[in-house]
Amino acid sequence: MDAPDPKANKHESQAKYMQAREERKKLLTPSHKYMIDILANGLFLKPTAVEEFILDCSPLDDFDNFFAKGGRKAISFVYQMSEVPGIECGRSYTGTTKKGKILRLFLANLSQTCLTGICCSFTRTRVDIPVNSENIREEIFFSMVDAREGLLKGTRNAFNFLLPALDAGQNWGVLDKSRHGEKIKSNFKYSMKCCLSSLDDIQMSNESIVHLNKVTDIDFSKLVSVEDMKVAAANFDMVHRLEEILMQWYKQIEKVLIETDQLRKGVDSAGPLSELEHWKKMSLRFNSIINHIKGPECKAVMMVLHISHSKTMKMWRELDARITDRVNEAKDNVKYLNTLEKICQPLYNSDPVTMLKSVPNVINAIQMIYNVSLYYNTREKISALFVKVTNQMVTACRSYITDNGKCLIWDQDAEEMVKKMQDCICLFQDQIFCKFEGFCKQLEKITQIITLFKMFEPLGKSNIEGIEILARQFHTVSMNLKRKQYDMLAPRTIEFESDFTKFIAQIGHIENQLRAFMSSCFLNKFSSQQALVLIQRFQRLNIPCLDSEISNLLARILQHYFSEVEFAKKLYEKQRDDPPLARNMPPVAGRIGWVKHLYQKIEEPITYIKNNSDILSSPEGQDVVKMYNQTAAAFLEFESVYHRAWMTEVCKLDYSKLPGYDLIC
């Protein structure tokens, strides 16, 4: 039996696929033709070329599903370089190809397609009825995304084309008759702009990343272990090269910091959300640098230079600290400025009449930022933010007066024009912005209250006997203020001013009582050591009003300590020839223990005084120091004499005569 002829089989297969293609062509309906025409128009192709691409699909089930009742909501086509289809498409591709690919249009599953060309999509507005040639113009929506310069830019451009159409739209259907229709339309347009702004943020993210120089002449795979790094650190040429690399990175980062420190130029009419965009950009920029510093290559360079004690590491550590601070600042600012994003929406999509009701919310949010932010709570930053709020209000008023730039002032009805202008004047006659200075003063008072709360908090935790009375008194005063029902952040609150004055007076009274209480604790006769232990407990309260009293007490303790040193010196002189020894103590060890005890009694107090006060620098303090030095020197000399004598006697012992010792000579 003869073997089958491969060429004959291939010819039969081609004929079969070509026949199937002709069958598919017969299935094309006016609905298919309508979509083909739209694709041809959008891609600047001939309808016949688009039809040939469509027929490459086998079969046309996706179209049937898209047209059917309850079918799929969207169908997408991609026009870009793609693999040449096989013979099953029913036709052969002739001409040149690029790496086996050709520019063609094909039905695409977007979740599995890397888009580098043009995406064309048809979307159904509803699926409860089938799509046919009679209703297809009303039932489907066509859109394109040109990703040839990047998907992000293509998506941004696709959405951007919608905004002019929305602004020019005259017929919004039932929304035109709805009581809240204008607000819904305005919110929808604002959402579209926010979507575009989000795409801009992504683009900004890509542009904000700092790319430090890539190292190509060092094999970092050989700098993994500590041993590898030690070997590299011993190589002079390697260390020199790594120093050059580190300094290149240093200069790049330093340049970024200098550019950031320079006066930021912005659009004069920029609104408050531009501030959020700026700090997002800064956060991305500095975080990209931090990621590089934490990367394996930079860590390897730093480790080798650290092992080699390179002088460049000191500069690098200082730079690292500066970058870390910038990252924290940007992160903190973004965190708090994010609260403005939703609150500032009325400034961007409302008229002055509606905006007037929303401005207090913006002010309250800025108050919160000023009050709690670690980095954004400066007068300069808050003032700049208020300027940008004002900028946006002016922009909104201009848009309101000109009907979004569509009408000139002189082309509008005079009475309507005057009314619009009066609405804007009413907005700027609001006293909120004039109250900002008073608001800042009020925040300073609230900050003072919070600081006092924190300052006196240790009273309730202290175990100093008798202090609990003052702790309860402060708790009562603080709770009375916290229980006030009015809003303390509200401007020109008469109740707050009155309560603040009363609170400060009560705190002053508690401070006087606290100073008197501390003085009373030292009326009893204590040793200087016991007094210093007690004064330490008061110092741990860390309440500033006690500082002056503590200084006075230290002066009194110093006088008492002088007497103790004098007494210890006299006692030493009296008993040094025959000191009292502890029971069963050997003579020499007993004498050394006796003098050590005397030394300890005078050494611990003066050490504490020296570390916690500058009183020893005073004339009285110098007298005490002189007395201490003389006495301590005598004690140490006594100990040294007896210790040397003991060592001399021990060396004279003949160990050979002691039982249990066999000397080997």
Side-chain angles (χ1 to χ4, degrees):
M1 183 178 181
D2 295 334
D5 184 2
K7 292 184 178 181
N9 290 341
K10 182 178 180 181
H11 181 74
E12 291 177 3
S13 297
Q14 287 178 336
K16 182 178 68 175
Y17 289 131
M18 290 176 66
Q19 180 63 33
R21 183 183 182 89
E22 290 299 322
E23 294 295 329
R24 289 197 297 274
K25 187 173 183 178
K26 294 177 182 178
L27 296 175
L28 295 178
T29 66
S31 296
H32 293 90
K33 298 284 187 180
Y34 175 77
M35 294 173 65
I36 289 171
D37 289 339
I38 291 179
L39 288 170
N41 184 60
L43 297 172
F44 300 99
L45 297 173
K46 293 182 179 180
T48 53
V50 173
E51 180 178 310
E52 291 300 319
F53 285 129
I54 294 297
L55 292 175
D56 288 343
C57 304
S58 177
L60 299 176
D61 293 345
D62 290 300
F63 281 93
D64 296 336
N65 194 324
F66 179 70
F67 293 144
K69 179 180 179 180
R72 61 193 296 178
K73 293 200 67 174
I75 187 169
S76 299
F77 300 87
V78 171
Y79 185 59
Q80 66 183 31
M81 298 298 293
S82 179
E83 300 287 344
V84 177
I87 61 172
E88 62 274 6
C89 73
R91 67 164 172 162
S92 59
Y93 277 79
T94 59
T96 59
T97 62
K98 187 177 181 180
K99 296 182 180 180
K101 293 186 177 182
I102 192 171
L103 183 62
R104 70 185 189 95
L105 180 71
F106 57 95
L107 185 66
N109 181 347
L110 296 182
S111 64
Q112 300 176 3
T113 303
C114 180
L115 184 60
T116 58
I118 303 174
C119 175
C120 303
S121 297
F122 294 91
T123 306
R124 295 179 62 176
T125 57
R126 54 179 180 169
V127 294
D128 56 336
I129 61 171
V131 176
N132 52 47
S133 58
E134 296 178 1
N135 63 9
I136 191 169
R137 288 170 176 78
E138 292 78 30
E139 293 297 329
I140 68 172
F141 173 78
F142 175 71
S143 61
M144 288 178 58
V145 174
D146 187 348
R148 287 176 293 185
E149 295 182 13
L151 180 58
L152 179 62
K153 186 175 182 180
T155 306
R156 173 68 169 82
N157 291 338
F159 275 95
N160 201 37
F161 287 136
L162 294 175
L163 290 179
L166 291 174
D167 289 333
Q170 300 296 323
N171 183 7
W172 288 78
V174 295
L175 287 180
D176 291 334
K177 302 175 183 178
S178 172
R179 185 176 63 170
H180 302 293
E182 287 300 322
K183 184 177 181 180
I184 294 173
K185 287 189 288 184
S186 178
N187 289 340
F188 176 72
K189 292 177 184 178
Y190 179 78
S191 298
M192 288 293 295
K193 291 177 181 178
C194 287
C195 179
L196 291 173
S197 178
S198 298
L199 295 176
D200 290 336
D201 287 346
I202 298 173
Q203 183 68 32
M204 179 187 68
S205 300
N206 295 335
E207 295 172 354
S208 300
I209 294 175
V210 177
H211 298 281
L212 299 183
N213 290 346
K214 195 75 176 174
V215 181
T216 57
D217 58 339
I218 301 293
D219 187 1
F220 285 98
S221 64
K222 296 180 180 179
L223 294 176
V224 178
S225 68
V226 177
E227 292 301 319
D228 293 338
M229 295 175 183
K230 287 181 179 180
V231 172
N235 186 325
F236 176 82
D237 292 335
M238 174 63 79
V239 171
H240 180 69
R241 176 59 185 135
L242 293 181
E243 285 179 338
E244 289 180 343
I245 292 170
L246 194 68
M247 289 309 299
Q248 288 176 0
W249 292 339
Y250 180 96
K251 291 176 181 178
Q252 281 186 276
I253 297 173
E254 183 69 25
K255 183 180 178 183
V256 173
L257 292 176
I258 292 173
E259 291 173 351
T260 305
D261 289 336
Q262 291 174 345
L263 184 63
R264 176 158 54 101
K265 294 182 180 179
V267 181
D268 291 339
S269 61
L273 296 185
S274 66
E275 193 69 4
L276 174 60
E277 293 173 4
H278 167 75
W279 285 108
K280 282 182 177 179
K281 187 175 181 179
M282 292 300 100
S283 181
L284 290 165
R285 177 173 295 180
F286 294 132
N287 272 305
S288 66
I289 295 175
I290 288 292
N291 290 336
H292 177 83
I293 293 174
K294 292 180 178 180
E297 293 186 0
C298 189
K299 283 185 175 180
V301 172
M302 289 190 295
M303 191 63 182
V304 172
L305 296 181
H306 172 73
I307 295 172
S308 66
H309 303 290
S310 172
K311 293 181 180 179
T312 58
M313 286 304 297
K314 181 180 179 182
M315 296 172 58
W316 181 260
R317 291 190 189 99
E318 293 174 352
L319 183 68
D320 190 10
R322 289 165 60 195
I323 285 293
T324 302
D325 185 65
R326 296 300 180 85
V327 168
N328 293 335
E329 178 186 14
K331 180 181 178 182
D332 189 77
N333 290 347
V334 169
K335 172 184 175 183
Y336 290 106
L337 289 172
N338 263 327
T339 61
L340 293 177
E341 192 162 15
K342 184 176 181 180
I343 294 173
C344 286
Q345 178 180 339
L347 302 183
Y348 287 82
N349 67 345
S350 298
D351 59 66
V353 178
T354 308
M355 191 187 303
L356 188 60
K357 304 173 184 177
S358 305
V359 170
N361 294 332
V362 178
I363 304 302
N364 290 337
I366 297 176
Q367 285 179 340
M368 183 275 295
I369 293 172
Y370 180 82
N371 199 32
V372 301
S373 174
L374 295 176
Y375 295 89
Y376 211 83
N377 58 353
T378 64
R379 184 179 296 272
E380 293 78 14
K381 286 188 172 69
I382 292 296
S383 297
L385 188 57
F386 268 103
V387 168
K388 292 185 177 182
V389 170
T390 306
N391 289 344
Q392 186 55 41
M393 293 171 70
V394 171
T395 300
C397 287
R398 291 176 63 184
S399 178
Y400 173 66
I401 292 171
T402 62
D403 196 13
N404 293 323
K406 291 185 290 186
C407 301
L408 296 175
I409 294 175
W410 314 118
D411 294 339
Q412 301 182 57
D413 180 74
E415 292 184 5
E416 182 66 19
M417 190 77 265
V418 170
K419 182 181 181 302
K420 286 184 177 182
M421 289 185 176
Q422 191 60 45
D423 290 339
C424 296
I425 292 171
C426 288
L427 177 64
F428 287 101
Q429 283 178 342
D430 191 291
Q431 294 297 312
I432 291 174
F433 291 100
C434 298
K435 298 174 185 175
F436 184 52
E437 184 177 357
F439 157 67
C440 293
K441 291 180 179 178
Q442 191 159 329
L443 283 181
E444 290 172 359
K445 292 177 180 178
I446 294 173
T447 302
Q448 186 178 349
I449 292 171
I450 295 171
T451 302
L452 289 170
F453 283 168
K454 191 71 176 176
M455 182 190 303
F456 284 91
E457 186 178 312
L459 286 180
K461 301 177 182 178
S462 175
N463 57 3
I464 299 174
E465 186 177 354
I467 206 171
E468 65 275 3
I469 297 173
L470 292 172
R472 286 197 297 269
Q473 187 176 341
F474 172 75
H475 178 75
T476 301
V477 171
S478 61
M479 290 307 298
N480 286 342
L481 187 62
K482 289 180 179 180
R483 288 176 180 144
K484 298 295 180 181
Q485 296 298 313
Y486 59 84
D487 182 8
M488 289 192 179
L489 291 176
R492 297 184 181 178
T493 304
I494 299 176
E495 295 90 343
F496 172 76
E497 293 295 333
S498 174
D499 289 334
F500 176 77
T501 303
K502 181 180 178 181
F503 173 76
I504 294 300
Q506 291 172 325
I507 291 298
H509 180 63
I510 292 175
E511 288 178 339
N512 292 334
Q513 287 182 301
L514 184 58
R515 284 192 290 265
F517 169 74
M518 188 174 76
S519 296
S520 67
C521 292
F522 291 88
L523 293 177
N524 297 325
K525 290 186 177 180
F526 291 131
S527 67
S528 57
Q529 182 68 25
Q530 291 172 324
L532 289 172
V533 170
L534 180 58
I535 214 168
Q536 276 183 296
R537 296 171 69 185
F538 277 101
Q539 282 185 314
R540 280 196 290 267
L541 295 175
N542 199 26
I543 298 178
C545 70
L546 297 179
D547 291 345
S548 60
E549 193 65 28
I550 288 173
S551 297
N552 296 334
L553 287 171
L554 282 173
R556 289 164 52 188
I557 293 171
L558 189 66
Q559 294 174 358
H560 188 70
Y561 172 72
F562 184 86
S563 302
E564 290 179 343
V565 175
E566 197 172 29
F567 175 79
K569 183 179 180 182
K570 291 179 179 179
L571 184 66
Y572 164 75
E573 291 173 347
K574 179 181 178 181
Q575 297 181 345
R576 64 181 178 180
D577 295 331
D578 187 21
L581 306 181
R583 187 176 182 180
N584 297 327
M585 282 291 290
V588 174
R591 283 171 167 77
I592 292 175
W594 169 75
V595 81
K596 276 184 172 292
H597 175 68
L598 291 178
Y599 176 75
Q600 186 177 10
K601 289 183 67 176
I602 68 170
E603 190 269 340
E604 290 183 359
I606 200 169
T607 300
Y608 178 84
I609 295 173
K610 178 183 176 183
N611 293 335
N612 294 275
S613 172
D614 57 358
I615 196 171
L616 294 179
S617 301
S618 65
E620 297 82 1
Q622 289 298 303
D623 293 339
V624 172
V625 171
K626 183 177 179 181
M627 172 70 77
Y628 166 79
N629 288 339
Q630 292 174 350
T631 306
F635 291 169
L636 293 174
E637 177 63 24
F638 181 89
E639 178 186 350
S640 178
V641 167
Y642 275 92
H643 186 263
R644 286 197 301 268
W646 180 81
M647 290 292 294
T648 301
E649 291 298 321
V650 169
C651 291
K652 292 178 181 179
L653 291 177
D654 187 355
Y655 291 97
S656 62
K657 295 180 179 180
L658 295 177
Y661 285 85
D662 296 326
L663 300 179
I664 301 175
C665 299

